[in-house]
Amino acid sequence: MKTIYYSILGLLTLVLATSCSDYLENTPNAVLEENELINPDNIDGFVTAAYAALGNDHYDSPFSLWPYGNVRSDDAYKGGSGPNDIQVFHFFEVSNNIRTDFGELDRFWYNSYIAISRVNKALNALDQIDKSDYPLKDVRIAEMHFLRGHFYFMLKEMFKYVPYITEDIPIEEYGNISNRELSNDGLWEAIAQDFESAAENLPANQDQVGRVNSAAAYAYLAKVRLYQAYEQDENNNVVNINQEKLQEVIQATDEVVGKYQLEDDFGFNFLPGSYQNGSESVFSIQFSNNDNTLHGRLNYSDVLSTPQGLGCCDFQKPSQNLVNAFKTNSDGLPLLDDFNDSDLDYNNLNATTVDPRLYHTVAIPGLPYKYNNSYIYQESWNRSPSTYGFYASLKENVSPDCDCFVNIDPFYGNSKNRIEIRYADVLLMRAEALIELGRHKEALPLVNQIRQRAGQSTTLINGYANNTQVALYEDGVNCNWTQDFARKAMRFERRLEFAMEGNRFFDLVRWGVADEVLNKYYEGEKEKRVYYEEAHFDPNLEEYCPIPLAQINFSRNVYKQNTGY
């Protein structure tokens, strides 16, 4: 997309030489009108700018949602130098003192709507191009609907009620669009319509890596329908599980099942280079380095999670509760009810059998960091061990030997892609819908697909992980696969499979159990971490973030605050 330049000297000369009316009737020199840019040669610039917005975030307003999906849940501690280091995220960790004036929330909101504005700009431009001049018009429009759905989905799970602005709304009307213009279900439906439109018009395959396809749109549509199925009242209580929406989850996943496959090893999903955009990656954010820019297109969302021993700044630390969740019993099944009765001791790992996914998710002292024997993860690599313990997050990080590991002083970033939707998610979303439909027997093989792959995920950790054991669920043999048991097993499986990927808190809110799970978690953590003493999750309030006060003021109170704030 070409840059528009203004010739100040030319403008000054024009003002002096002409009357005001003459000036207003003439186009200034060296200025490109927007309609001059909207032509087949330039249209891809609008589309590329919209795609680029996927990575236009910052570590304190990250699109990876690590503070809100991981730290806000029972999966992770905030990390850093202590509770005052990005204190806003500390408040979310302990569900305390969450205020409407947090700048981090305002920046997230702002960046998301900048991205949506790029999408709408692209859609407006595409609408003005004739398909005979630009044969890819319908495909590019579908891609833009997908991207818009993605950004609105993030806003929706963060804030519940947001203004829904499309390319059809004139700019002068933006200030009149309330965040309550659509109901909770109505907003979900609007987002679903974007993905439905994308799914119907996208090809099965794209020539260029990174462009979305029809299966990705159906997978995201399934995700929206699953969230929509758990109907909430104004106070965020789940009051009904909509069976029709669950059936739509089944229908959407029908379009994806069989078109992707699980990686042979769970850990392959989180490696750079040739492993990126692999068989399990349904939708990934593309990053790069060595691309003739200063640092490359790095994943700025997650730069803070590099251990202090390798760079900076040791944020997003796996919780002891999460580590304990990977323990297995003598039969190789998860300890669904009593996993947290005792802590896994990393100094005596062989005393307990564990799910191999532990070693792909959590860096443990004394073991190779990111499978690299040249870098043994040390207790000394932790910045504040007395506060946050000795674990570090692995999935978003890379080996220091990788040329994708980039010094952006004082931080170290990396250019490894971030998978937003994995095929494993498609299978477990389908399993969840089947279970809630009372078809839990059909869900059993889907959950077992995930567990079977977990059990065989030892390729990268062979030689130091000698205590792994995973078994499949066998109805009537090692479990009674009732609907209640299936629900508990599936939800536990989601935690193990997607730990530290930004999903956990939003899963708890969808299921309507955030209050129950987090307050139980806080009670256990108070015995280990002093800063949890005042932690308490307030139901009917803290399921969602407050609408940023700056945005309410900017809208002149057109936007309405969420209940309770």
Side-chain angles (χ1 to χ4, degrees):
M1 187 174 178
K2 297 180 181 177
T3 304
I4 300 175
Y5 293 98
Y6 294 85
S7 173
I8 296 176
L9 180 60
L11 287 178
L12 288 174
T13 303
L14 198 61
V15 170
L16 292 173
T18 63
S19 70
C20 182
S21 60
D22 290 339
Y23 169 66
L24 292 175
E25 292 170 1
N26 287 277
T27 301
N29 293 331
V31 175
L32 287 174
E33 295 290 328
E34 183 175 302
N35 59 7
E36 295 181 74
L37 296 172
I38 299 175
N39 58 63
D41 292 332
N42 293 326
I43 199 69
D44 277 335
F46 289 91
V47 174
T48 300
Y51 269 104
L54 292 167
N56 283 357
D57 57 349
H58 192 256
Y59 60 73
D60 67 356
S61 52
F63 286 160
S64 69
L65 301 181
W66 66 264
Y68 310 107
N70 301 335
V71 170
R72 201 178 183 186
S73 76
D74 48 356
D75 274 5
Y77 308 131
K78 176 183 71 67
S81 65
N84 292 329
D85 197 354
I86 312 187
Q87 190 177 39
V88 165
F89 296 163
H90 164 73
F91 292 145
F92 278 110
E93 181 184 352
V94 296
S95 297
N96 195 7
N97 198 34
I98 296 175
R99 304 196 311 271
T100 64
D101 61 350
F102 287 163
E104 287 79 357
L105 291 180
D106 182 50
R107 285 189 290 276
F108 179 86
W109 179 290
Y110 176 80
N111 288 339
S112 298
Y113 274 101
I114 287 295
I116 290 167
S117 74
R118 289 191 180 191
V119 171
N120 287 338
K121 179 74 73 174
L123 286 168
N124 270 317
L126 286 161
D127 187 56
Q128 298 177 55
I129 297 292
D130 193 278
K131 188 175 179 180
S132 62
D133 296 325
Y134 188 72
L136 289 172
K137 175 179 178 176
D138 291 345
V139 173
R140 296 293 183 256
I141 288 174
E143 290 175 27
M144 294 302 96
H145 281 287
F146 181 101
L147 294 185
R148 186 168 67 189
H150 166 71
F151 286 111
Y152 273 122
F153 183 92
M154 287 197 300
L155 286 163
K156 181 76 173 73
E157 63 180 352
M158 285 279 287
F159 299 103
K160 190 173 184 177
Y161 294 109
V162 298
Y164 187 73
I165 298 170
T166 69
E167 78 279 13
D168 299 321
I169 299 174
I171 293 175
E172 58 269 21
E173 291 296 318
Y174 284 5
N176 300 322
I177 307 299
S178 169
N179 64 323
R180 298 300 183 99
E181 196 86 8
L182 297 176
S183 65
N184 179 50
D185 185 67
L187 184 51
W188 278 130
E189 190 59 37
I191 297 170
Q193 291 304 312
D194 262 338
F195 287 118
E196 284 195 342
S197 177
E200 291 169 0
N201 292 286
L202 283 169
N205 298 291
Q206 295 264 35
D207 291 336
Q208 293 179 307
V209 173
R211 290 193 186 276
V212 295
N213 60 25
S214 58
Y218 278 116
Y220 224 139
L221 175 62
K223 190 172 184 179
V224 174
R225 293 304 190 194
L226 186 60
Y227 274 72
Q228 190 180 16
Y230 292 83
E231 296 176 353
Q232 295 181 356
D233 64 15
E234 179 64 21
N235 294 317
N236 309 328
N237 299 302
V238 175
V239 295
N240 181 52
I241 302 179
N242 188 307
Q243 304 291 290
E244 292 181 4
K245 297 304 178 189
L246 294 175
Q247 188 57 48
E248 291 183 50
V249 175
I250 303 299
Q251 293 167 357
T253 56
D254 277 339
E255 303 295 330
V256 188
V257 170
K259 296 180 180 177
Y260 291 84
Q261 63 183 31
L262 299 177
E263 291 278 8
D264 291 337
D265 190 298
F266 176 74
F268 292 167
N269 288 295
F270 313 107
L271 290 176
S274 61
Y275 290 96
Q276 298 181 115
N277 302 306
S279 62
E280 193 170 335
S281 174
V282 179
F283 170 45
S284 290
I285 310 300
Q286 307 293 309
F287 296 106
S288 65
N289 66 331
N290 297 324
D291 57 6
N292 298 317
T293 61
L294 179 60
H295 296 300
R297 186 71 172 170
L298 304 181
N299 174 10
Y300 278 90
S301 274
D302 299 314
V303 295
L304 295 184
S305 67
T306 304
Q308 196 72 8
L310 296 174
C312 182
C313 292
D314 204 36
F315 277 76
Q316 193 183 194
K317 312 272 286 176
S319 70
Q320 184 66 55
N321 184 285
L322 174 63
V323 170
N324 293 342
F326 286 96
K327 294 188 296 185
T328 58
N329 63 20
S330 58
D331 293 327
L333 294 180
L335 305 174
L336 298 179
D337 297 310
D338 54 0
F339 69 93
N340 205 43
D341 287 357
S342 62
D343 289 343
L344 185 147
D345 181 1
Y346 64 78
N347 289 307
N348 189 21
L349 287 170
N350 288 332
T352 308
T353 56
V354 299
D355 188 309
R357 286 174 289 189
L358 169 66
Y359 297 112
H360 302 288
T361 306
V362 181
I364 297 174
L367 300 183
Y369 179 78
K370 218 48 190 175
Y371 322 115
N372 191 332
N373 287 310
S374 297
Y375 295 90
I376 302 301
Y377 182 71
Q378 305 290 332
E379 289 184 349
S380 61
W381 290 13
N382 291 272
R383 190 175 178 187
S384 302
S386 62
T387 305
Y388 298 116
F390 293 99
Y391 301 119
S393 182
L394 281 179
K395 287 181 176 178
E396 72 277 21
N397 282 309
V398 299
S399 170
D401 285 348
C402 182
D403 61 5
C404 60
F405 189 58
V406 181
N407 185 351
I408 48 173
D409 189 44
F411 311 117
Y412 275 81
N414 71 71
S415 59
K416 177 169 65 69
N417 292 350
R418 183 175 69 246
I419 303 179
E420 289 290 318
I421 299 181
R422 292 196 277 119
Y423 186 54
D425 201 359
V426 175
L427 295 179
L428 287 178
M429 287 190 294
R430 185 178 180 88
E432 182 173 341
L434 288 168
I435 290 167
E436 297 303 335
L437 284 168
R439 297 162 58 184
H440 44 283
K441 301 291 187 183
E442 296 175 61
L444 178 56
L446 298 174
V447 174
N448 275 340
Q449 278 189 59
I450 303 298
R451 292 194 59 74
Q452 182 173 11
R453 193 272 296 276
Q456 69 191 38
S457 297
T458 57
T459 308
L460 299 167
I461 59 176
N462 187 30
Y464 62 86
N466 303 313
N467 63 330
T468 62
Q469 184 177 5
V470 171
L472 306 185
Y473 289 108
E474 298 181 72
D475 187 23
V477 178
N478 59 13
C479 70
N480 291 316
W481 193 259
T482 63
Q483 185 183 38
D484 287 343
F485 183 88
R487 181 184 294 116
K488 182 184 293 186
M490 176 276 300
R491 292 181 179 183
F492 206 90
E493 203 65 32
R494 279 197 67 87
R495 186 183 189 190
L496 299 179
E497 181 71 16
F498 303 113
M500 308 300 286
E501 294 183 49
N503 295 293
R504 174 66 172 170
F505 179 79
F506 305 113
D507 281 346
L508 297 178
V509 171
R510 178 173 84 252
W511 297 326
V513 299
D515 173 22
E516 171 191 344
V517 171
L518 292 182
N519 283 323
K520 181 179 179 181
Y521 167 67
Y522 293 154
E523 286 302 312
E525 288 299 315
K526 289 175 183 178
E527 301 176 4
K528 305 169 187 176
R529 319 249 171 246
V530 173
Y531 69 89
Y532 272 97
E533 287 181 356
E534 301 299 321
H536 181 77
F537 185 86
D538 294 314
N540 310 129
L541 172 66
E542 290 171 346
E543 290 86 358
Y544 295 94
C545 298
I547 307 300
L549 180 61
Q551 296 299 325
I552 291 177
N553 291 339
F554 181 76
S555 75
R556 299 182 180 181
N557 293 314
V558 170
Y559 300 164
K560 303 303 179 185
Q561 187 54 268
N562 283 333
T563 301
Y565 288 106

